[in-house]
């Protein structure tokens, strides 16, 4: 039997820097994170994805790496990392780490050596041009914050290519030595216990410029196969989860025949889910799901509401983006970023309406794929729009109503990022301790919902189909695996509805309630009439067994 653990996993994304500070210096660390493993295990998480924690000048939240083989001293030591991973594994939790190999920091010794000496072997680790290429102002990823994609380095006497910020020089993967370095990096972290990698900027990683040598493989996608092969040789159960916000047509190339990435974040479903939430109609979500390519048996989608970046809406039309902005980012000046997205956390977008929060997370937990939750989402944490760029949605975890939300004992002005202290989302009343005591809290709901999701492997493993409801506001789908069938029904609208599910002849058995937004009358006999309150949702098992 295939042990595809990621098919029924609950992924939880953590930035070590803002999670828990054990040594009181104002910066979260591995020791603090390790102390919080019982909390994470209690939530039901089965895999932690760590944002970059490597030595860094920290100009892009750690995505500017200057040493791939260490832990930033602010966060701890390699010893602390190994201890954390061991303790996570003891609780049945795997760890995957960010693999940031599209670029290095300009402070990385490779780049420094490359600039200093044209004959250094490191010169060809990067992408150079004597003249400024004509398209230097195209393809900027951070418009408004990034000026160009080619920057002159006086020491080198040449322009270097950088898809992202100018301090993030792109590596040249056509150079076999760079590819060897990447394998070494992967091998290192696999050897000290990680279960795989989140592949940063995968679509840019495999991008090959005209002035680079050609890859000695038939297409850039083949490089994904190369790293996958290496991964699987070193550790058979390890995964690659790629960040590739690409078009529908491109997506299958990242999965290959099951020989490339095991998992991809589903950005298209994410963006259409927001359109559906804004319109209070299921249709955009249904259409996005219907448009998805079929994926290999070993492949899996990662579904999410928010991540550590902006909520990118780049795959939607301007009109659609505006609809979402009107609903969820009314103060566009402050809330909109990079001409394409929203820099808020999710709870403030829906004004912490408990019904809408639960509806969204119920969807993420049941969509065919694996849910990925960003730290703090389980509490409905807010944001701080006074912070720069994407930092607005990266404030520290709110543990209790003690000073600094118990994140750190340092003085508030020493914190890596300030905790939210004012208003509705202040740690004074929105924190883990208070939510644990409140049976109606989002945190307690999340724990229950996650437990139920884990009891329904059909959502992650199964074949799925959309069930017609005849109501454009209601999304219903059915997942089947090894004879088990589950059905989830979600009402995107504020109006209450009753829908009749058009089920296959086989599903003539009872629908047994597993989870819902409120207690409903049990469905009688073999009726498929489902009542839903506004923003209501219900999960069912088809059959006669409650468990
Ligand atoms: C994608 C990451 O998610 C983002 O945070 C980062 O800025 C870019 N890659 C550049 O590494």
């Amino acid at each position: 039997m295939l042990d595809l653990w990621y098919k029924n996993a609950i992924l939880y994304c953590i930035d070590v820097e803002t999670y828990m500070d054990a040594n009181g210096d104002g910066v979260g660390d591995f020791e603090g994170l390790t102390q919080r493993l019982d909390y994470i295990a209690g939530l039901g998480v089965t895999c932690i994805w760590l944002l970059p924690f490597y030595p860094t000048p920290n100009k892009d939240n750690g995505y500017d790496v200057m040493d791939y083989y260490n832990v930033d001293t602010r966060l701890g030591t390699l010893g602390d990392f190994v201890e954390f991973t061991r303790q996570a594994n003891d609780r049945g939790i795997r760890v995957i780490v960010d693999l940031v190999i599209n670029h290095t920091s300009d402070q990385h010794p490779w780049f420094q050596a490359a600039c200093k000496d044209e004959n250094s072997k490191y010169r060809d680790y990067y992408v150079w041009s004597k003249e400024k290429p004509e398209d230097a102002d195209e393809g900027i990823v951070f418009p408004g914050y990034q000026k160009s994609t080619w920057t002159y380095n006086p020491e080198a006497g040449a322009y270097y290519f950088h898809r992202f910020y100018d301090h993030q020089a792109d590596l040249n993967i056509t150079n076999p030595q760079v590819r060897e370095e990447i394998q070494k990096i992967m091998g290192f972290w696999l050897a000290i216990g990680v279960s795989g990698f989140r592949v940063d900027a995968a679509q840019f990683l495999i991008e090959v410029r005209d002035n680079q040598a050609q890859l000695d493989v038939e297409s850039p996608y083949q490089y994904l196969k190369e790293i996958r092969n290496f991964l699987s040789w070193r550790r058979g159960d390890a995964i690659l989860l790629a960040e590739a916000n690409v078009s529908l047509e491109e997506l299958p190339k990242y999965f290959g025949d099951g020989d490339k990435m095991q998992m991809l974040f589903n950005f298209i479903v994410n963006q259409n889910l927001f359109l559906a939430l804004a319109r209070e109609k299921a249709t955009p979500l249904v259409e996005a799901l219907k448009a998805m390519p079929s994926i290999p048996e070993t492949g899996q989608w990662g579904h999410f509401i928010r991540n550590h970046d902006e909520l990118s809406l780049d795959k939607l039309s301007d009109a659609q983006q505006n609809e979402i902005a009107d609903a969820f980012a009314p103060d566009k000046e402050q809330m909109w970023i990079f001409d394409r997205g929203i820099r808020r956390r999710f709870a403030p977008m829906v004004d912490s309406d408990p019904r809408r929060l639960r509806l969204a997370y119920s969807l993420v937990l049941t969509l065919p794929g694996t849910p990925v939750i960003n730290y703090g989402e389980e509490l409905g944490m807010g944001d701080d729009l006074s912070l720069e760029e994407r930092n607005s949605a990266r404030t520290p975890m709110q543990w209790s109503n003690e000073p600094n939300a118990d994140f750190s004992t340092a003085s508030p002005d020493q914190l890596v990022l300030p905790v939210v202290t004012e208003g509705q989302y202040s740690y004074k009343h929105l924190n883990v301790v208070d939510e644990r005591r409140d049976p109606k809290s989002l945190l307690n709901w999340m724990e229950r919902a996650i437990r139920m999701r884990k009891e329904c492997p059909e959502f992650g493993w199964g074949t799925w189909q959309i069930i017609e409801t005849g109501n454009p506001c209601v999304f219903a789908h059915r997942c089947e695996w090894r004879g088990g069938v589950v059905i989830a029904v979600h009402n995107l609208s504020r109006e209450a509805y009753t829908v009749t599910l058009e089920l296959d002849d086989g599903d003539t058995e009872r629908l047994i309630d597993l989870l819902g937004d409120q207690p409903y009358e049990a469905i009688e006999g073999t009726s498929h009439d489902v009542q839903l309150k506004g923003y209501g949702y219900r999960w069912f098992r088809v059959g006669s067994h409650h468990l």
Side-chain angles (χ1 to χ4, degrees):
M1 190 191 120
L2 287 172
D3 174 25
L4 308 182
W5 58 270
Y6 50 93
K7 290 259 183 180
N8 200 30
I10 306 290
L11 264 67
Y12 185 64
C13 172
I14 293 176
D15 194 343
V16 181
E17 187 181 76
T18 47
Y19 202 65
M20 182 65 204
D21 170 20
N23 66 0
D25 65 354
V27 184
D29 43 44
F30 274 102
E31 216 186 310
L33 169 56
T34 307
Q35 289 168 10
R36 290 301 187 235
L37 274 170
D38 287 325
Y39 165 78
I40 297 165
L43 189 56
V45 168
T46 60
C47 177
I48 293 172
W49 153 32
L50 292 179
L51 294 190
F53 50 79
Y54 317 104
T56 174
N58 214 17
K59 293 187 190 163
D60 182 18
N61 206 36
Y63 282 96
D64 43 335
V65 178
M66 52 190 271
D67 177 2
Y68 288 102
Y69 298 106
N70 219 328
V71 170
D72 193 284
T73 48
R74 296 170 314 131
L75 312 182
T77 63
L78 267 182
D80 295 331
F81 175 88
V82 170
E83 182 60 15
F84 154 72
T85 306
R86 189 190 71 85
Q87 292 210 28
N89 292 168
D90 277 354
R91 290 164 176 84
I93 299 173
R94 293 171 182 267
V95 177
I96 66 173
V97 299
D98 233 288
L99 184 65
V100 191
I101 48 170
N102 172 68
H103 50 264
T104 71
S105 160
D106 60 0
Q107 303 301 304
H108 194 291
W110 297 341
F111 189 71
Q112 306 258 303
C115 291
K116 243 183 226 120
D117 178 4
E118 201 168 349
N119 299 316
S120 147
K121 74 163 190 168
Y122 296 110
R123 184 72 159 207
D124 195 36
Y125 273 36
Y126 296 89
V127 184
W128 299 96
S129 171
K130 282 282 172 202
E131 307 298 326
K132 188 169 188 175
E134 274 175 16
D135 64 354
D137 298 335
E138 285 163 30
I140 287 173
V141 177
F142 302 132
Y145 295 80
Q146 176 192 351
K147 288 192 201 74
S148 177
T149 54
W150 288 89
T151 294
Y152 187 70
N153 181 285
E155 212 182 4
Y159 291 83
Y160 62 95
F161 177 69
H162 51 91
R163 176 53 70 201
F164 298 98
Y165 284 117
D166 59 3
H167 57 78
Q168 292 166 315
D170 272 40
L171 283 167
N172 174 14
I173 60 152
T174 67
N175 179 345
Q177 285 178 310
V178 169
R179 304 218 296 277
E180 254 172 51
E181 297 275 11
I182 291 172
Q183 294 196 345
K184 241 193 268 175
I185 295 163
M186 293 172 67
F188 176 81
W189 293 102
L190 290 168
I192 59 172
V194 307
S195 293
F197 302 92
R198 179 256 189 197
V199 184
D200 182 57
Q203 85 241 45
F204 300 122
L205 170 68
I206 58 172
E207 176 183 52
V208 176
R209 320 279 314 165
D210 295 345
N211 54 345
Q212 282 170 273
Q214 286 307 302
L215 269 183
D216 54 357
V217 287
E218 67 206 57
S219 95
Y221 299 99
Q222 290 300 105
Y223 181 57
L224 300 176
K225 185 168 170 179
E226 192 177 308
I227 57 174
R228 165 59 191 282
N229 278 343
F230 178 81
L231 175 96
S232 300
W233 287 325
R234 286 290 165 98
R235 186 166 167 170
D237 63 347
I239 62 159
L240 294 171
L241 160 58
E243 181 210 22
N245 183 4
V246 296
S247 66
L248 268 180
E249 298 70 48
E250 289 281 298
L251 285 168
K253 302 180 188 164
Y254 288 79
F255 286 112
D257 302 329
D259 56 358
K260 299 194 176 84
M261 307 289 101
Q262 286 98 332
M263 283 189 72
L264 250 64
F265 288 107
N266 199 322
F267 285 95
I268 295 179
V269 164
N270 173 260
Q271 299 186 21
N272 282 284
L273 170 57
F274 270 89
L275 190 58
L277 292 170
R279 288 185 182 165
E280 302 201 7
K281 290 267 191 310
T283 325
L285 175 62
V286 169
E287 281 171 5
L289 286 168
K290 282 188 177 159
M292 279 303 135
S294 62
I295 62 176
E297 207 189 340
T298 52
Q300 181 78 330
W301 297 114
H303 289 298
F304 59 100
I305 295 288
R306 287 287 286 112
N307 58 25
H308 62 290
D309 289 323
E310 83 284 4
L311 166 67
S312 176
L313 301 170
D314 66 333
K315 297 286 176 289
L316 302 178
S317 69
D318 287 353
Q320 293 169 331
Q321 291 186 0
N322 285 337
E323 279 181 71
I324 297 175
D326 288 347
F328 299 134
D331 181 356
K332 233 179 152 184
E333 182 89 355
Q334 282 218 56
M335 298 169 174
W336 196 249
I337 191 167
F338 304 148
D339 302 334
R340 62 162 181 260
I342 299 177
R343 60 185 204 107
R344 309 180 80 187
R345 278 207 176 98
F346 182 59
M349 292 193 212
V350 292
D351 203 14
S352 272
D353 181 336
R355 297 168 306 165
R356 301 193 87 182
L357 284 170
R358 286 161 178 72
L359 172 74
Y361 290 107
S362 169
L363 280 163
V364 160
L365 289 169
T366 53
L367 284 174
T370 292
V372 187
I373 296 165
N374 198 17
Y375 82 90
E377 283 192 289
E378 72 272 29
L379 306 176
M381 265 172 58
D383 45 44
D384 181 348
L385 294 169
S386 73
L387 300 177
E388 271 276 284
E389 221 235 54
R390 289 161 290 168
N391 281 349
S392 44
R394 294 171 176 170
T395 55
M397 181 70 175
Q398 296 175 191
W399 294 105
S400 83
N401 63 8
E402 296 288 316
N404 294 334
D406 234 2
F407 156 67
S408 169
T409 54
S411 77
D413 58 341
Q414 279 195 307
L415 300 188
V416 59
L417 282 173
V419 293
V420 175
T421 49
E422 299 302 325
Q424 195 181 348
Y425 301 96
S426 161
Y427 72 87
K428 290 169 194 150
H429 33 260
L430 195 153
N431 59 63
V432 171
V433 169
D434 285 1
E435 291 204 28
R436 284 195 143 178
R437 288 181 185 148
D438 173 5
K440 291 201 166 72
S441 69
L442 183 61
L443 177 61
N444 277 314
W445 177 88
M446 196 72 84
E447 282 183 20
R448 284 195 301 278
I450 287 175
R451 186 174 67 223
M452 188 54 81
R453 155 64 205 243
K454 286 156 87 178
E455 289 181 19
C456 301
E458 294 88 350
F459 286 125
W461 278 90
T463 51
W464 57 277
Q465 71 201 73
I466 289 166
I467 305 171
E468 295 305 326
T469 64
N471 183 328
C473 298
V474 179
F475 165 60
H477 73 294
R478 172 189 190 278
C479 297
E480 178 168 5
W481 186 60
R482 294 195 171 163
V485 177
V486 289
I487 288 174
V489 190
H490 290 84
N491 175 10
L492 281 282
S493 138
R494 68 191 65 195
E495 306 295 332
Y497 292 113
T498 299
V499 292
T500 304
L501 303 182
E502 289 175 25
L503 294 184
D504 286 353
D505 294 347
D507 295 332
T508 50
E509 291 178 78
R510 243 171 4 127
L511 296 183
I512 297 164
D513 278 285
L514 299 176
L515 191 83
D517 57 299
Q518 60 152 54
Y520 288 95
E521 291 275 312
I523 292 181
E524 289 297 325
T526 56
S527 159
H528 294 145
D529 294 344
V530 176
Q531 285 178 19
L532 294 154
K533 287 278 182 213
Y535 303 126
Y537 58 85
R538 297 174 72 173
W539 304 7
F540 301 103
R541 182 164 286 290
V542 180
S544 47
H545 301 291
H546 287 257
L547 276 178

